[in-house]
């Protein structure tokens, strides 16, 4: 069975001949076809292309060639990554008549060069504008831990496919939290690398100032291995965890936490001997700036189509994009000036700290039929507020690893580990220490969801 | 968020006209709601004083 296998275990089985790439891909395709009815994370399956690539890998092995590191490993992509020969729809019907992509997205090319095989596109909020993966065109992706609850978004299909054990790793994108929120709600590892580090070529844009491509994985080693493949670099040495200066983010990031999340955060900080608490300045404005930049850039991007075919958009997406397109230029420019101010403050923080710890989402996944969360004692829209802790950290473009907490006695909860730009290796070191201490790891599905 | 006033509706309509965007009756309530939310966020950013030397982050490097 390939279900719930890690990418590295699958690659090892194929490399040593315990399993063929073709049988691995056949099993994966069968899982996607038969097990996704309750989750609905898959939007398209690349059956013939995937099997063709698998046959080439088996032929390479039979010919005695050395296989690349991810040979035969299946993966899925958020429905905004170009796959050659396929129309990239970005979770919408608006682009359905566009020509097929001429080539694969840049990070897909790098993964394929390492032997990995894209097998499916995965559901998302239309044009990545949302935190729920409730899609008027392609349906709602449900949380594998409890199908009555949100998977989170906008990369919800990618997180759910890993949580359900369908795929060992998947690709997503994060503008305001679209990797970190579904990773947290689905209990899997997620990585939003430093802004600008991974190439975005072939990923359908949303907000050029904030968009980052990244990944989800069921194991930390898979997350790290696939990151360096996508980065086109050799793995950097991880600094020893006990040499890193770790602090907890307070103030904005210490309010509105579910009790189990607060307790887990305390355990994590105790394990790392992180006694310092740091408050970032003007967090509410940083979140607002992120929100406004996204709205203005998304609205501008879609304005030509909104003039002609607004009725084809999901009404909720359409109204958000139009409101963004109507923002005055002075407001947009002020947010971009604020961004530079905030960047300077963030760099000051990292002069004395290596890794910051913050909650990813305030609690468990909201119910789909009651999509509210509590903020400052009041029920508010989950779709608008799940990014409370992720949006302020989007603005400075920092690398953030979303870490699934273990043994919380609840549905999945996640933390954000945040480092200075380009210091992903520090995140990997702290994440590894927490995994080794039993505090972090992909959250297994309850028995009833596996039946 | 309070209900949008007719002034807000007029402002949104004028801005839409300025960018040659027709607002259909079905989208108007949602656009007004979202515009009010963005105006709230704009106040949060605009209340923060910035020196004249603070430039927009056009070529942003984290």
């Amino acid at each position: 069975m390939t279900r719930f296998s890690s990418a590295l275990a699958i690659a090892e089985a194929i490399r040593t001949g315990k399993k063929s790439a073709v049988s691995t891909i056949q099993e994966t395709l069968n899982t996607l076809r038969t097990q996704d009815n309750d989750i609905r994370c898959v939007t398209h399956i690349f059956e013939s292309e995937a099997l063709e690539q698998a046959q080439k890998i088996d032929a390479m092995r039979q010919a005695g060639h050395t296989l690349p590191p991810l040979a035969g490993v299946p993966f899925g992509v958020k429905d905004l990554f170009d796959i050659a020969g396929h129309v990239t729809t970005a979770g919408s019907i608006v682009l359905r008549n566009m020509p097929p992509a001429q080539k694969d997205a840049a990070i897909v090319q790098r993964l394929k060069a390492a032997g990995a095989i894209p097998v499916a596109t995965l559901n998302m909020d239309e044009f990545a504008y949302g935190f729920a993966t409730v899609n008027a065109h392609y349906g709602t992706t449900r949380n594998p831990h409890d199908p009555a609850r949100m998977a989170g978004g906008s990369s919800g299909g990618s997180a759910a496919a890993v949580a359900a054990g369908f795929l060992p790793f998947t690709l997503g994108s994060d503008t305001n939290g679209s990797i970190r929120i579904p990773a947290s709600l689905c209990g899997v590892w997620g990585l939003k690398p430093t802004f600008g580090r991974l190439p975005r070529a072939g990923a359908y844009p949303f907000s050029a100032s904030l968009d980052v491509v990244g990944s989800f994985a069921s194991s930390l080693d898979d997350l790290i291995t696939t990151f360096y493949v996508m980065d086109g670099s050799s793995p950097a040495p991880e600094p020893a965890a006990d040499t890193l200066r770790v602090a907890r983010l307070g103030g904005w990031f210490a309010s509105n936490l579910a009790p189990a999340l607060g307790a887990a955060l305390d355990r994590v900080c105790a394990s790392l001997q992180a006694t310092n608490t740091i408050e970032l300045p003007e967090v509410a404005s940083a979140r607002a700036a992120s929100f406004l930049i996204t709205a203005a850039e998304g609205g501008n991007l879609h304005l030509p189509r909104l003039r002609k075919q607004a009725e084809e958009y999901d009404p909720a997406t359409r109204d958000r994009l139009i409101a963004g397109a109507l923002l005055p230029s002075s407001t947009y420019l002020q947010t971009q000036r604020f961004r530079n101010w905030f960047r300077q403050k963030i760099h000051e923080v990292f002069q004395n700290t290596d890794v910051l710890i913050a909650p990813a989402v305030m609690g468990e996944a909201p119910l789909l039929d009651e999509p509210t969360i509590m903020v400052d004692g009041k029920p508010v829209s989950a779709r608008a507020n799940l990014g409370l802790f992720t949006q302020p950290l989007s603005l400075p473009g920092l690398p953030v690893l979303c870490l699934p907490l273990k043994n919380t006695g609840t549905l999945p909860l996640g933390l954000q580990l945040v480092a200075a730009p380009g210091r992903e290796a520090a995140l990997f070191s702290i994440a590894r220490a927490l995994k080794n201490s039993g505090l972090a790891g992909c959250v297994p599905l309850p028995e009833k969801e596996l039946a | 968020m309070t209900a949008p006033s007719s002034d807000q509706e007029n402002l949104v309509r004028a801005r839409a006209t300025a960018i040659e965007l027709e607002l259909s009756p079905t989208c108007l309530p949602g656009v007004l709601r979202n515009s009010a939310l963005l105006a709230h966020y704009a106040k949060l950013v605009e209340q923060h004083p910035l020196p004249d030397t603070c430039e927009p982050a056009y070529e942003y490097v984290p």
Side-chain angles (χ1 to χ4, degrees), chain A residues 195 282 285 287-288 291-292 307 318-320 323 326 328 331 333-334 336-341 343 347 396 421, chain B residues 12 15-16 19-20 27 30-31 34-35 38 41-42 44-46 48 50-51 54-58 60-62:
Chain A
F195 176 80
E282 303 291 343
S285 296
R287 181 191 179 216
F291 210 111
L292 289 162
R307 289 189 180 114
R318 174 198 65 199
D319 297 351
R320 283 195 286 258
L326 299 181
T331 298
L333 289 170
Q334 186 77 5
Q336 290 287 11
R337 291 176 64 207
F338 178 84
R339 190 184 197 196
N340 261 344
W341 179 88
R343 174 189 183 276
H347 277 256
Chain B
V12 163
R15 284 180 180 165
I19 60 169
E20 299 175 5
C27 80
V31 172
N34 281 285
S35 293
L38 294 181
Y41 285 132
L44 281 175
V45 176
E46 286 163 2
H48 182 75
L50 294 171
C54 182
E55 296 181 357
Y58 291 129
Y60 187 76
V61 176

Side-chain angles (χ1 to χ4, degrees), chain A residues 37-51:
Chain A
N37 292 337
D38 294 337
I39 310 296
R40 300 192 66 161
C41 58
V42 175
T43 54
H44 184 84
I45 292 177
F46 301 110
E47 178 157 355
S48 59
E49 301 94 322
L51 286 169

Side-chain angles (χ1 to χ4, degrees), chain A residues 2 14 27 36 52 55 72 90-91 124 180 185 200 220 285 300 304 338 367 375 394 405 414 421 433 446:
Chain A
T2 55
I14 291 170
E27 275 183 24
D36 189 39
E52 193 179 314
Q55 284 161 359
M124 57 185 282
R180 292 163 285 163
L185 299 186
R200 297 186 301 196
L220 179 61
S285 296
N300 171 266
F338 178 84
L367 289 162
V375 174
S394 292
L405 290 161

Side-chain angles (χ1 to χ4, degrees), chain A residues 36-371:
Chain A
D36 189 39
N37 292 337
D38 294 337
I39 310 296
R40 300 192 66 161
C41 58
V42 175
T43 54
H44 184 84
I45 292 177
F46 301 110
E47 178 157 355
S48 59
E49 301 94 322
L51 286 169
E52 193 179 314
Q53 288 174 63
Q55 284 161 359
K56 285 181 185 166
I57 285 166
D58 287 339
M60 277 177 72
R61 187 180 180 279
Q62 281 158 14
H65 298 302
T66 302
L67 295 183
L70 296 175
V73 175
F75 72 103
V77 304
K78 186 176 184 177
D79 186 29
L80 52 64
F81 286 95
D82 283 352
I83 299 290
H86 175 74
V87 177
T88 307
T89 47
S92 181
I93 58 169
V94 174
L95 303 178
R96 66 190 183 284
N97 295 321
M98 297 295 281
Q102 296 287 306
K103 57 184 180 180
D104 296 323
I107 59 172
V108 173
Q109 287 179 35
R110 291 179 181 179
L111 288 163
K112 283 173 74 173
I117 299 176
V119 295
T121 56
L122 303 165
N123 201 18
M124 57 185 282
D125 288 292
E126 187 184 36
F127 292 119
Y129 211 164
F131 291 136
T133 312
V134 173
N135 187 303
H137 313 295
Y138 300 102
T140 296
T141 295
R142 295 172 176 275
N143 194 312
H145 290 269
D146 179 352
R149 292 178 184 265
M150 279 186 191
S154 65
S155 312
S158 300
V162 171
F166 298 163
L167 297 166
F169 79 96
T170 57
L171 304 187
S173 63
D174 190 313
T175 304
N176 279 281
S178 287
I179 287 175
R180 292 163 285 163
I181 291 166
S184 176
L185 299 186
C186 290
V188 301
W189 299 92
L191 180 65
K192 180 188 95 74
T194 305
F195 176 80
R197 180 157 183 173
L198 297 187
R200 297 186 301 196
Y204 190 82
F206 178 20
S207 171
S209 292
L210 300 173
D211 290 345
V212 173
V213 294
S215 56
F216 300 86
S218 58
S219 84
L220 179 61
D221 285 332
D222 284 357
L223 192 81
I224 296 171
T225 300
T226 52
F227 165 70
Y228 284 114
V229 168
M230 293 189 289
D231 191 42
S233 65
S234 300
E238 286 176 20
D242 59 7
T243 65
L244 294 169
R245 298 162 297 175
V246 182
R248 176 199 298 228
L249 280 179
W252 177 276
F253 296 93
S255 303
N256 297 301
L257 303 187
L261 180 56
L265 189 51
D266 288 343
R267 288 195 294 274
V268 162
C269 289
S271 166
L272 296 169
Q273 298 180 319
T275 53
N276 275 0
T277 298
I278 290 176
E279 287 203 31
L280 300 180
E282 303 291 343
V283 177
S285 296
R287 181 191 179 216
S290 192
F291 210 111
L292 289 162
I293 289 170
T294 304
E297 293 184 353
N300 171 266
L301 180 73
H302 287 275
L303 184 55
R305 279 179 296 273
L306 289 167
R307 289 189 180 114
K308 293 178 184 167
Q309 52 191 117
E311 72 285 353
E312 292 183 14
Y313 286 73
D314 177 332
T317 316
R318 174 198 65 199
D319 297 351
R320 283 195 286 258
L321 289 170
I322 290 176
L326 299 181
L327 275 171
S329 58
S330 61
T331 298
Y332 177 73
L333 289 170
Q334 186 77 5
T335 61
Q336 290 287 11
R337 291 176 64 207
F338 178 84
R339 190 184 197 196
N340 261 344
W341 179 88
F342 194 62
R343 174 189 183 276
Q344 188 183 336
K345 299 297 174 193
I346 289 287
H347 277 256
E348 288 169 12
V349 167
F350 282 111
Q351 286 175 4
N352 301 308
T353 310
D354 295 305
V355 174
L356 298 169
I357 303 179
V361 181
M362 56 287 288
E364 298 178 320
L367 289 162
L368 282 161
D369 63 3
E370 191 187 335

